């Protein structure tokens, strides 16, 4: 049961982070392709956006792996 | 000039300060396994943030040069596998490294990055410039 719980944690963390990262990163690429001189400003905002999106799923990945390996 | 340089410098400097504090804690306190886990987690976190910065910068340069929005990915699987590697290292040496504190140390750099940039933006937009 712990393995299943860990697998579900890993799957949902990956799905959530993947969708969030894709949204932020896709808009960044569109912005840079349209206006290359704004790359610096867009870069910082994208970086913060990806960090915000990924902070929680990475905790879920860590605990999911621990659950799969039977530590939790 | 690399637009990421000031952000990267701030994150690396603050994480280095945190790692030095953790190293002193590791040397002076009896909680060596807990502190070693935190050090391992923060190191993986710093690698993840710097790798993410590199991938985003390369993709931005590619998009600026070609005008194409086709990306090669942000390296998400690589970052997750680094977290798995840290957990496996902690499991391999349970007497030296505590697994739970590795999991707590992994998101530290992300949170630090958001807080530092929030503080920097606030400092730049405030009228006195002091935050």
């Amino acid at each position: 049961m712990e393995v299943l719980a860990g697998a579900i944690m890993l799957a949902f963390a990956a799905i959530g982070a993947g969708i969030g990262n894709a949204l932020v990163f896709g808009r960044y690429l569109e912005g840079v392709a349209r206006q290359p001189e704004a790359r610096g400003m867009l870069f910082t905002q994208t970086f913060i956006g990806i960090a915000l999106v990924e902070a929680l799923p990475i905790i879920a990945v860590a605990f999911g792996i621990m659950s799969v390996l039977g530590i939790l | 000039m690399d637009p990421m340089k000031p952000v990267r410098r701030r994150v690396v400097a603050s994480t280095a300060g945190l790692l030095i504090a953790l190293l002193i804690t590791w040397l002076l306190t009896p909680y060596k396994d807990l502190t070693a886990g935190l050090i391992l987690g923060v190191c993986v976190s710093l690698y993840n943030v710097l790798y993410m910065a590199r991938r985003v910068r390369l993709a931005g340069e590619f998009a600026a040069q070609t005008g194409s929005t086709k990306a090669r990915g942000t390296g998400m699987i690589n970052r997750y596998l680094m977290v798995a590697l840290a957990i496996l290292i902690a499991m391999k040496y349970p007497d030296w490294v505590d697994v739970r504190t590795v999991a707590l140390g992994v998101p530290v750099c992300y949170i630090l990055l958001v807080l530092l940039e929030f503080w920097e933006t606030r400092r730049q937009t405030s009228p006195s410039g002091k935050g």
Side-chain angles (χ1 to χ4, degrees), chain A residues 16-21 24 48-58:
Chain A
I19 292 173
N21 276 350
V24 175
I48 297 168
I50 293 180
L52 270 174
V53 164
E54 207 161 282
L56 206 60
I58 215 146

Side-chain angles (χ1 to χ4, degrees), chain A residues 14 18 25 43 62 68:
Chain A
F25 198 58
F43 184 87
V68 166

Side-chain angles (χ1 to χ4, degrees), chain A residues 16-32 41-54, chain B residues 52 56 59-60 69 71 73-74 79:
Chain A
I19 292 173
N21 276 350
L23 288 173
V24 175
F25 198 58
R27 295 296 184 275
Y28 165 69
L29 288 179
E30 278 180 20
V32 170
M41 191 188 69
L42 290 174
F43 184 87
T44 309
Q45 290 175 355
T46 305
F47 201 48
I48 297 168
I50 293 180
L52 270 174
V53 164
E54 207 161 282
Chain B
M52 181 174 79
V56 173
T69 57
T74 57
R79 294 197 292 273

